[in-house]
Short mmCIF file of all heavy atoms in Angstrom, two decimals:
data_model
loop_
_atom_site.label_atom_id
_atom_site.label_comp_id
_atom_site.label_asym_id
_atom_site.label_seq_id
_atom_site.Cartn_x
_atom_site.Cartn_y
_atom_site.Cartn_z
N TRP B 186 58.24 147.32 80.54
CA TRP B 186 58.33 146.00 81.17
C TRP B 186 59.77 145.74 81.60
O TRP B 186 60.72 145.97 80.84
CB TRP B 186 57.86 144.93 80.21
CG TRP B 186 58.00 143.54 80.74
CD1 TRP B 186 57.18 142.91 81.61
CD2 TRP B 186 59.05 142.62 80.44
NE1 TRP B 186 57.63 141.65 81.87
CE2 TRP B 186 58.77 141.44 81.17
CE3 TRP B 186 60.18 142.66 79.64
CZ2 TRP B 186 59.59 140.33 81.12
CZ3 TRP B 186 61.01 141.55 79.58
CH2 TRP B 186 60.70 140.41 80.32
N THR B 187 59.94 145.29 82.82
CA THR B 187 61.25 144.95 83.34
C THR B 187 61.39 143.44 83.38
O THR B 187 60.60 142.77 84.06
CB THR B 187 61.45 145.51 84.75
OG1 THR B 187 61.27 146.92 84.72
CG2 THR B 187 62.85 145.19 85.27
N PRO B 188 62.33 142.85 82.62
CA PRO B 188 62.44 141.39 82.58
C PRO B 188 62.73 140.81 83.96
O PRO B 188 63.47 141.37 84.76
CB PRO B 188 63.63 141.16 81.63
CG PRO B 188 63.72 142.42 80.83
CD PRO B 188 63.29 143.51 81.75
N VAL B 189 62.12 139.68 84.25
CA VAL B 189 62.39 138.91 85.46
C VAL B 189 62.68 137.47 85.02
O VAL B 189 61.84 136.82 84.43
CB VAL B 189 61.18 138.92 86.42
CG1 VAL B 189 61.48 138.06 87.65
CG2 VAL B 189 60.86 140.35 86.85
N GLU B 190 63.89 137.02 85.27
CA GLU B 190 64.29 135.66 84.90
C GLU B 190 64.11 135.39 83.41
O GLU B 190 63.84 134.28 82.99
CB GLU B 190 63.52 134.62 85.71
CG GLU B 190 63.81 134.65 87.20
CD GLU B 190 63.18 133.47 87.91
OE1 GLU B 190 62.83 132.49 87.23
OE2 GLU B 190 63.05 133.51 89.13
N GLY B 191 64.21 136.41 82.59
CA GLY B 191 64.12 136.22 81.14
C GLY B 191 62.73 135.91 80.64
O GLY B 191 62.56 135.50 79.50
N ALA B 192 61.70 136.10 81.47
CA ALA B 192 60.34 135.72 81.06
C ALA B 192 59.66 136.89 80.36
O ALA B 192 58.79 137.55 80.92
CB ALA B 192 59.54 135.29 82.29
N SER B 193 60.05 137.19 79.14
CA SER B 193 59.43 138.28 78.39
C SER B 193 58.02 137.87 77.98
O SER B 193 57.72 136.68 77.87
CB SER B 193 60.25 138.59 77.14
OG SER B 193 60.13 137.53 76.21
N PRO B 194 57.12 138.84 77.76
CA PRO B 194 55.78 138.50 77.29
C PRO B 194 55.80 137.65 76.03
O PRO B 194 55.00 136.72 75.89
CB PRO B 194 55.13 139.87 77.06
CG PRO B 194 55.87 140.79 77.99
CD PRO B 194 57.28 140.29 78.00
N ALA B 195 56.70 137.97 75.11
CA ALA B 195 56.76 137.20 73.87
C ALA B 195 57.16 135.76 74.15
O ALA B 195 56.63 134.82 73.53
CB ALA B 195 57.77 137.85 72.90
N ARG B 196 58.07 135.56 75.09
CA ARG B 196 58.50 134.20 75.39
C ARG B 196 57.38 133.41 76.07
O ARG B 196 57.16 132.23 75.78
CB ARG B 196 59.73 134.24 76.30
CG ARG B 196 60.31 132.86 76.55
CD ARG B 196 61.52 132.94 77.44
NE ARG B 196 62.12 131.61 77.60
CZ ARG B 196 63.05 131.33 78.50
NH1 ARG B 196 63.48 132.27 79.31
NH2 ARG B 196 63.55 130.13 78.60
N LEU B 197 56.67 134.07 76.99
CA LEU B 197 55.54 133.39 77.64
C LEU B 197 54.49 132.98 76.62
O LEU B 197 53.95 131.88 76.68
CB LEU B 197 54.93 134.30 78.70
CG LEU B 197 55.83 134.62 79.91
CD1 LEU B 197 55.16 135.65 80.80
CD2 LEU B 197 56.15 133.36 80.70
#
Side-chain angles (χ1 to χ4, degrees):
W186 176 79
T187 303
V189 178
E190 295 189 18
S193 70
R196 185 180 184 192
L197 294 174

